[in-house]
Amino acid sequence: MIKRHWTPQEADEWRKEDWIAIVLSPLCYILLTLGTALTIFMLVSGYIMLGVGIVLTVLLHWVIDPKLKAISTEYESRQQQYLSELEAKVRWEHRNPDES
Amino acid sequence: MNVTFTFLDWLWVGLFLALMVGSGILFYRLGRRSESDFFLAGRGLPWWLPASSVYATHTATDTPMWITGVIYRHGMAGIWYTFFCGWAAISAFVSTRIFRRSLAYTQAEWNVVRFTGLGSELLRGWMAGWQFFMNMFVLGWVGIAMGKVCEFLFGWPTWIGLVVFSLVCAIYVLASGYWGVVMADFQQGIIAFLVIIIVSAWGIHTAGGPTGIMDQLAALGELDRINPFAFTGWWSGDFPIAWFITMMMIAILGGFGMGTTIDWYVEAQRIQSSKTVRDASYSIWWGTILGLIRNSVWAVAILAFFVMFPGLTETSEYEMGWFRLGFDYLPAGMLGFFFAAILAIHLSTISSHLNLGALYATRDLYQHYVNPKASQKKLILVGRISTAILLLGSFFYGLMMEDITSWLIFALWIMAAGIWLPNILQVVWWRFNAWGYLSSWIANLGFSWLVVWILPALNVIPPLPDYQQFWILMVLGALVYIPVTLLTKAESMDHLVHYYVMSRPIGWWGPVRREAEQRGYLLSNGEAVAEAAYLSRPASDF
């Protein structure tokens, strides 16, 4: 169901694990925010919200972390070249194909 | 209210200021190494450092006043006003990831990575100038809030609180740049979070504890104030469901874009200072949730204040509620610690905006347009001069803030409404171009004046609630920027392919992806990148 082992190249694609994170993440924010406040008031609804929020936060990271690690590994190998291109651009050394 | 400090109180304040300035001196050598160090801490931070900076920067002196105001007025439902930062929920895994891969120092620079030609340069110049101004404005706004706190506590004239503490902050920002900012933010974040918990818990305890607060709310006939979903109807009242839906949509879906809220520009710097894409994602996610949890604790403390002082009608009276919980009820000797925490809250915001404004001035204006061949030493010098200009400008803005606040709130609002969707489209739609984006800014400026000020003044339309203004401005803007986009040339495919392979954006990028596959930079099954082919591509593809 959930892919836990990614090659760096596979991780670069937008897959269902990304969409799970996109859906879960705002839910975690809402549940943790309301759950904290209502838990301080010692309301049952607060305990439930906070509990579900914590479980979903753990799940969110369990789903997305292996993919983020793989993306980072892949990207780091190229970062230096991209940085030198960016520096060339800010110094106007970069030739824009449109202007050639 | 005048607070009397003991020797112990002043000792806390003195120790704290020495700690902050000391970190500036400590990181001076790192900050002066390069432009990348002075503005991005060398792009090498683990996620928890920029996360603490996200949290600390967005805990400003005026934040407890503002949150106290909405919670006192609306009860727990007011917490949704603070949920505008919910954009980080999706952004952490979408736009943060895409922006980090672009490596752009600023959002202004991102424009020339994503777009090309004259349009992209116009966007970069405009955004850099506007951000320099906005950071100066925020510094003035937050600075004068500190001035008011000092006036409230000690009876000082407001300019003293504005000038003195911003000057202290400038010492470590000038010395070590972003290194000083982020290291001080880490300490300030911890101090501020602890004190917010202590003061809030103290206030809740003083009001009779959680059950005591609920009993008193029930006695006042105000028990509904602990219901976060206490709407006033679909369209009517000051908390309609239509407002709530609009607000949540802006906040949450805004995470697909870049710049959908003013906070993005600050976070962009934290994103690029993170060591990896993963660190960038977690810094935004965790820094923001910490802020939201802080808001929850504050909200309960403000309800404690409400039951102790119900029926306050003057905003200026009740918005100081959380500060009063601390200064009225904490024991002697702790007041200085509380004031040190307020300074932590204040300095973390001031330092971030001083360094961020200087980044736009140095990288996007000076280096790109004035002196592209500038040495690293020269760039750091310009960064320091820009920091000093921002500081002086903020004093000017702060002292005239009363007169211009309503105009500047309007300026913030127009920035958010009509360009919300273009800010998303620039990330998710390959065909959206620089001219479309530029036209959305210009159209929004005109339409927002019409919808918010001119047409209601001429009685052509009634004054509309802000959420209705948002929808109208969004539709009117789209009538301009969609035709402009489709009637002007798409960005060059070479440029888009390069951007796509580097940033891997989400959304509708099919033609660009196919072109990248055709050139051999990506394989069609999406499972492997022809890295060697990409790295040896012709120079015209850069």
Side-chain angles (χ1 to χ4, degrees):
Chain A
M1 284 284 284
I2 301 294
K3 191 172 171 62
R4 299 276 297 154
H5 300 285
W6 299 87
T7 65
Q9 291 77 22
E10 286 171 337
D12 261 355
E13 305 294 325
W14 292 93
R15 296 282 171 83
K16 76 168 182 295
E17 285 75 8
D18 296 300
W19 287 100
I20 291 171
I22 287 167
V23 171
L24 283 184
S25 182
L27 273 177
C28 293
Y29 271 20
I30 292 169
L31 289 167
L32 293 174
T33 304
L34 296 184
T36 302
L38 298 180
T39 294
I40 298 173
F41 278 120
M42 297 188 290
L43 296 174
V44 175
S45 57
Y47 297 136
I48 294 170
M49 283 188 206
L50 188 60
V52 174
I54 291 169
V55 169
L56 288 185
T57 300
V58 173
L59 181 65
L60 164 74
H61 286 75
W62 184 79
V63 169
I64 203 66
D65 192 58
K67 195 164 187 288
L68 286 177
K69 275 183 184 158
I71 291 169
S72 297
T73 307
E74 190 275 339
Y75 189 74
E76 296 315 300
S77 66
R78 288 181 170 183
Q79 180 162 310
Q80 206 47 48
Q81 166 153 355
Y82 288 138
L83 273 174
S84 61
E85 289 171 16
L86 190 70
E87 289 308 312
K89 199 172 277 184
V90 79
R91 292 172 192 277
W92 298 93
E93 289 160 358
H94 155 267
R95 275 182 70 79
N96 186 336
D98 276 357
E99 293 160 2
S100 59
Chain B
M1 164 182 196
N2 271 345
V3 171
T4 308
F5 270 23
T6 62
F7 171 74
L8 185 59
D9 294 315
W10 286 117
L11 186 66
W12 282 120
V13 176
L15 284 175
F16 173 75
L17 290 176
L19 184 69
M20 292 306 108
V21 177
S23 35
I25 295 162
L26 200 62
F27 289 94
Y28 169 71
R29 283 179 184 280
L30 290 181
R32 70 174 186 170
R33 285 191 307 195
S34 65
E35 182 186 34
S36 166
D37 276 288
F38 194 78
F39 290 117
L40 297 177
R43 298 180 188 267
L45 300 178
W47 68 269
W48 46 272
L49 270 173
S52 64
S53 185
V54 167
Y55 167 76
T57 299
H58 298 300
T59 311
T61 327
D62 65 329
T63 316
M65 294 184 202
W66 176 69
I67 292 181
T68 303
V70 294
I71 299 292
Y72 193 93
R73 275 198 300 276
H74 304 290
M76 193 58 80
I79 205 157
W80 297 115
Y81 282 89
T82 72
F83 211 76
F84 67 89
C85 58
W87 63 270
I90 289 178
S91 172
F93 304 110
V94 180
S95 55
T96 291
R97 183 165 133 188
I98 296 165
F99 183 74
R100 174 60 179 72
R101 294 177 64 130
S102 79
L103 297 172
Y105 272 66
T106 64
Q107 186 62 28
E109 186 165 57
W110 185 82
N111 284 298
V112 298
V113 177
R114 164 66 177 84
F115 304 120
T116 187
L118 178 63
S120 70
E121 296 297 340
L122 287 173
L123 279 169
R124 182 177 196 165
W126 146 248
M127 196 169 279
W130 168 69
Q131 271 299 307
F132 185 74
F133 161 79
M134 276 308 296
N135 280 288
M136 197 181 282
F137 160 64
V138 172
L139 286 164
W141 175 304
V142 175
I144 202 66
M146 190 64 198
K148 285 179 181 174
V149 168
C150 290
E151 183 187 26
F152 175 74
L153 294 177
F154 308 116
W156 298 347
T158 48
W159 69 267
I160 293 181
L162 165 71
V163 172
V164 170
F165 298 112
S166 294
L167 274 175
V168 170
C169 182
I171 293 172
Y172 67 83
V173 180
L174 282 165
S176 52
Y178 186 73
W179 274 109
V181 172
V182 81
M183 292 305 173
D185 274 0
F186 179 65
Q187 303 160 50
Q188 288 157 357
I190 292 172
I191 293 169
F193 194 79
L194 280 177
V195 170
I196 287 167
I197 300 288
I198 291 169
V199 172
S200 300
W202 202 276
I204 292 165
H205 170 74
T206 308
T211 49
I213 294 170
M214 286 202 291
D215 290 345
Q216 290 174 75
L217 283 173
L220 290 166
E222 298 273 5
L223 198 53
D224 217 25
R225 281 181 177 267
I226 59 167
N227 177 8
F229 298 102
F231 300 117
T232 53
W234 274 97
W235 309 101
S236 57
D238 57 1
F239 192 60
I241 295 173
W243 175 89
F244 174 73
I245 291 171
T246 306
M247 165 72 193
M248 293 301 275
M249 184 202 75
I250 294 172
I252 291 175
L253 296 185
F256 283 101
M258 295 177 188
T260 49
T261 74
I262 188 77
D263 290 348
W264 167 264
Y265 299 90
V266 185
E267 311 316 9
Q269 193 184 17
R270 273 100 201 115
I271 291 167
Q272 290 301 358
S273 68
S274 301
K275 192 168 52 178
T276 66
V277 175
R278 176 175 175 264
D279 287 285
S281 291
Y282 288 160
S283 71
I284 296 301
W285 201 91
W286 283 100
T288 305
I289 190 61
L290 208 56
L292 284 167
I293 289 171
R294 170 209 66 198
N295 294 347
S296 298
V297 176
W298 257 336
V300 180
I302 301 316
L303 287 177
F305 177 76
F306 177 84
V307 299
M308 288 192 279
F309 302 95
L312 300 180
T313 51
E314 291 295 320
T315 309
S316 57
E317 260 189 300
Y318 62 72
E319 73 178 6
M320 297 301 285
W322 185 75
F323 289 112
R324 285 186 59 184
L325 287 180
F327 287 113
D328 285 354
Y329 299 105
L330 282 178
M334 282 299 287
L335 294 184
F337 191 64
F338 184 39
F339 187 66
I342 294 171
L343 284 180
I345 287 171
H346 179 63
L347 299 193
S348 60
T349 308
I350 294 288
S351 62
S352 291
H353 287 281
L354 278 174
N355 188 253
L356 181 62
L359 169 58
Y360 279 95
T362 307
R363 176 78 178 180
D364 293 302
L365 296 176
Y366 177 76
Q367 187 179 8
H368 192 55
Y369 294 117
V370 179
N371 187 2
K373 306 289 182 195
S375 66
Q376 293 295 310
K377 198 176 167 186
K378 187 80 179 268
L379 290 171
I380 292 165
L381 175 67
V382 171
R384 288 185 171 135
I385 293 170
S386 308
T387 305
I389 294 171
L390 278 156
L391 181 73
L392 294 175
S394 74
F395 296 158
F396 170 75
Y397 273 119
L399 293 172
M400 62 180 281
M401 196 57 76
E402 296 295 334
D403 303 324
I404 60 170
T405 297
S406 61
W407 289 94
L408 286 165
I409 287 174
F410 169 70
L412 285 172
W413 168 238
I414 61 170
M415 190 206 69
I419 56 156
W420 179 80
L421 191 54
N423 279 329
I424 296 174
L425 290 177
Q426 64 178 346
V427 175
V428 303
W429 186 28
W430 76 276
R431 183 60 181 82
F432 196 60
N433 62 14
W435 298 112
Y437 190 49
L438 201 56
S439 68
S440 72
W441 278 90
I442 297 166
N444 185 50
L445 188 66
F447 286 140
S448 55
W449 276 90
L450 276 175
V451 171
V452 179
W453 297 102
I454 298 173
L455 295 181
L458 297 174
N459 290 323
V460 178
I461 58 171
L464 298 168
D466 53 6
Y467 71 91
Q468 289 180 20
Q469 289 172 354
F470 173 84
W471 288 105
I472 291 170
L473 289 172
M474 197 165 81
V475 172
L476 288 176
L479 293 175
V480 173
Y481 62 75
I482 296 291
V484 167
T485 300
L486 296 176
L487 290 171
T488 49
K489 274 174 55 181
E491 302 298 343
S492 108
M493 192 50 87
D494 288 337
H495 189 85
L496 288 175
V497 165
H498 177 220
Y499 170 74
Y500 182 83
V501 174
M502 176 172 65
S503 296
R504 290 304 187 91
I506 197 170
W508 296 275
W509 286 83
V512 182
R513 166 146 196 144
R514 283 191 289 279
E515 181 66 24
E517 287 169 358
Q518 209 170 22
R519 294 183 185 195
Y521 305 152
L522 298 174
L523 294 188
S524 56
N525 62 10
E527 288 187 353
V529 179
E531 195 160 325
Y534 181 73
L535 293 179
S536 59
R537 69 198 189 283
S540 63
D541 284 10
F542 288 9

